[in-house]
Amino acid sequence: MLKRVAGFIISMALCMIFMLYLAPMMDNHPAVKPLISFIDERDIDAGALYYTEIEEFSEANITMDNTMAYTPRQGVSTF
């Protein structure tokens, strides 16, 4: 039982270290910076579960649906 409790406490500590220290450091990473500025410029609620009311995401969803519906298939002639 002690081993399980210790494992749980260590897991929680690692999660807290990641959330409070490591994840915020990623804000300055060159790969993440453009995404953060895009979200800030358009005042997007990044914590929202659904982005249905944001124009950029609506267009992306339509494009994704079309891509999945009309992907080329092997052995099927397009003519």
Side-chain angles (χ1 to χ4, degrees), residues 8-54:
F8 176 73
I9 291 172
I10 290 171
S11 298
M12 292 302 293
L14 290 173
C15 287
M16 295 299 286
I17 288 170
F18 178 77
M19 289 189 317
L20 297 175
Y21 298 104
L22 298 177
M25 285 182 197
M26 293 174 64
D27 286 352
N28 296 324
H29 192 275
V32 178
K33 199 78 164 160
L35 298 172
I36 292 172
S37 60
F38 177 85
I39 290 169
D40 288 341
E41 288 170 2
R42 288 163 178 77
D43 196 31
I44 296 172
D45 180 11
L49 294 176
Y50 300 102
Y51 297 110
T52 56
E53 296 178 7
I54 300 171

Side-chain angles (χ1 to χ4, degrees), residues 62-74:
I62 291 168
T63 302
M64 175 91 87
D65 287 344
N66 289 336
T67 300
M68 297 308 285
Y70 302 110
T71 53
R73 293 178 173 53
Q74 267 185 328

